[in-house]
Amino acid sequence: MEVTVHPYGKHDNQEVQAYTLKNDHGLSVTCIDYGCIITEILAPDRNGAQENVVLGFDSLDGYLADQTYQGTIVGRIAGRIRGGEFELNGKTYSLDKNEKPNHIHGGVKGFSKVMWDSTIIKEENHVGVEFKYVSKDGEGGYPGTIEMTVTYSLNNENELSISAVGVPDADTILNITNHAYFNLSGNMKNDVLDHELTINSSKFLELDQEFLPTGELLDVTGTVFDFREGRKIADGPNSADEQIAIVGQGYDHPFLLDEKLVTLYDEASGRLLKVETNQPAVVVYSSNTMKGFKMRDGSARPYFGVCLETQAPPDAIHHPNFPSTIVKKGGEYNWETKYTFSVNKFR
Ligand code: G6D
């Protein structure tokens, strides 16, 4: 296994470095210290062809201009916060309203849009990169200074593990996620409508017209939101379900995980992605309205990527019945998600 470093451009007079992690079985992951962005994952198909399975751009400029969070670590709070404000310990905090009138994905200078300090990791059984960033009190409108550490690690079991640790110096809220758009067809050969998604989740969150949770938990039974036995992503866009229509004729919904395991399978290539997490929910976003800009492997088109954003439910601070996103002074926030890549040679 190896980790190599190479220049990737300049941002705010800082050199942006790219780190490529390679294992001995044809899996490689490239990430950069701007937004901890994963720019490429090369994974073999059933015939051993190594192809890219995440959407992205072919240069830093693409990521600097990007408004769709391609490959980024998103925070302080992934998802939307209604009205761009919340109350904590009797004080109201006003956040960036970067999706008026609401706040989304950590605001104007969220984790996905800042430079992280990096240290490469070379161990006998894994290689990786450790990214560090200090989010100062008041950044984006959030309380408390948080020391953030995000670590990417690749081993010879074809496991890409991502962990995030946040240590605040005051009570605050924190709920990060990884916003990679997966497309297992390889090099965006096809869209993801034929991908089979399996999620052991019996409840998903109802969304309103602003894509914010209403607080209602809906039963998946008998709907295109029931992924317990596996389901083609196409079932959503092909459905007349009003929740599908609300978010642009696809999925953009948080699912509460009964088992913290999600799988994504592309029969044409044989690629199988297993996602394991310590998080209580996953937001499935099928890039319903993504269009109008050039990407590395072609032009952006709806349904050409699917995000599996493991996290606590969005806007949890306004819903006492959701898992909490409050982190107390002296506490520690821990987020973990492991992606395992394999091929199914026979199906
Ligand atoms: C859209 O509603 C979706 C979000 O879930 C997604 O994260 C964003 O695009 C990139 O706003």
Side-chain angles (χ1 to χ4, degrees):
M1 286 185 287
E2 64 173 15
V3 48
T4 54
V5 189
H6 49 278
Y8 195 74
K10 219 169 193 171
H11 173 56
D12 281 353
N13 282 326
Q14 284 184 273
E15 294 294 332
V16 177
Q17 303 287 343
Y19 308 87
T20 298
L21 316 174
K22 282 184 184 170
N23 76 2
D24 302 334
H25 308 300
L27 186 61
S28 84
V29 178
T30 300
C31 51
I32 60 176
D33 35 33
Y34 175 74
C36 304
I37 291 173
I38 293 176
T39 59
E40 181 180 74
I41 297 178
L42 296 179
D45 69 0
R46 64 164 58 92
N47 303 315
Q50 262 194 324
E51 296 171 310
N52 179 42
V53 295
V54 289
L55 306 191
F57 302 95
D58 54 11
S59 75
L60 178 61
D61 288 348
Y63 290 104
L64 294 175
D66 179 34
Q67 297 301 313
T68 60
Y69 299 86
Q70 298 283 337
T72 66
I73 285 291
V74 172
R76 291 192 187 190
I77 292 286
R80 294 165 172 86
I81 291 181
R82 190 179 298 278
E85 64 178 38
F86 67 94
E87 187 178 316
L88 185 64
N89 300 333
K91 185 176 176 190
T92 297
Y93 294 92
S94 179
L95 305 172
D96 297 344
K97 294 169 181 56
N98 56 321
E99 191 185 73
K100 286 188 175 44
N102 305 308
H103 172 89
I104 185 170
H105 288 345
V108 174
K109 292 287 278 181
F111 291 166
S112 47
K113 300 182 187 299
V114 296
M115 286 292 288
W116 293 64
D117 295 326
S118 58
T119 306
I120 61 175
I121 300 166
K122 284 183 181 174
E123 300 289 347
E124 190 182 339
N125 59 4
H126 70 274
V127 289
V129 189
E130 178 186 80
F131 294 109
K132 281 188 175 297
Y133 176 68
V134 177
S135 177
K136 295 270 194 315
D137 178 36
E139 190 168 78
Y142 290 99
T145 292
I146 304 181
E147 294 194 11
M148 287 298 305
T149 304
V150 170
T151 306
Y152 291 167
S153 171
L154 178 69
N155 64 23
N156 265 334
E157 284 68 49
N158 287 345
E159 297 168 336
L160 169 62
S161 298
I162 305 180
S163 67
V165 176
V167 180
D169 70 353
D171 293 1
T172 190
I173 58 176
L174 188 54
N175 181 28
I176 74 123
T177 195
N178 168 266
H179 209 289
Y181 289 71
F182 293 102
N183 180 326
L184 302 182
S185 68
N187 299 343
M188 263 176 97
K189 274 201 293 293
N190 302 310
D191 61 32
V192 299
L193 293 172
D194 254 359
H195 283 29
E196 182 180 307
L197 181 62
T198 305
I199 311 173
N200 190 346
S201 165
S202 52
K203 298 266 189 257
F204 72 105
L205 302 192
E206 180 186 59
L207 300 181
D208 66 15
Q209 299 292 342
E210 293 179 344
F211 299 19
L212 274 149
T214 64
E216 287 303 308
L217 307 184
L218 302 179
D219 188 337
V220 303
T221 308
T223 77
V224 292
F225 291 87
D226 190 346
F227 287 97
R228 291 173 292 190
E229 303 305 321
R231 177 181 292 280
K232 293 283 176 78
I233 288 178
D235 289 359
N238 294 335
S239 157
D241 189 308
E242 66 165 355
Q243 279 293 307
I244 291 286
I246 274 183
V247 296
Q249 205 50 33
Y251 297 102
D252 199 349
H253 295 77
F255 291 78
L256 296 185
L257 294 171
D258 299 329
E259 183 189 7
K260 295 181 178 177
L261 169 67
V262 175
T263 63
L264 183 68
Y265 177 63
D266 172 47
E267 190 166 1
S269 66
R271 289 190 181 96
L272 175 70
L273 170 63
K274 184 167 77 169
V275 184
E276 297 163 284
T277 186
N278 70 345
Q279 293 300 299
V282 61
V283 171
V284 176
Y285 174 51
S286 50
S287 53
N288 313 315
T289 55
M290 192 174 75
K291 57 179 178 285
F293 54 90
K294 187 180 173 324
M295 304 186 81
R296 175 186 42 235
D297 297 318
S299 59
R301 282 160 282 175
Y303 315 120
F304 262 76
V306 57
C307 302
L308 303 171
E309 303 164 48
T310 49
Q311 61 183 90
D315 204 29
I317 192 63
H318 289 132
H319 296 278
N321 61 320
F322 290 0
S324 173
T325 53
I326 295 171
V327 187
K328 306 291 279 180
K329 176 182 178 180
E332 185 177 273
Y333 168 84
N334 280 283
W335 178 98
E336 292 174 8
T337 294
K338 181 167 76 173
Y339 301 95
T340 305
F341 295 86
S342 61
V343 291
N344 185 327
K345 294 182 188 299
F346 309 107
R347 179 177 152 237

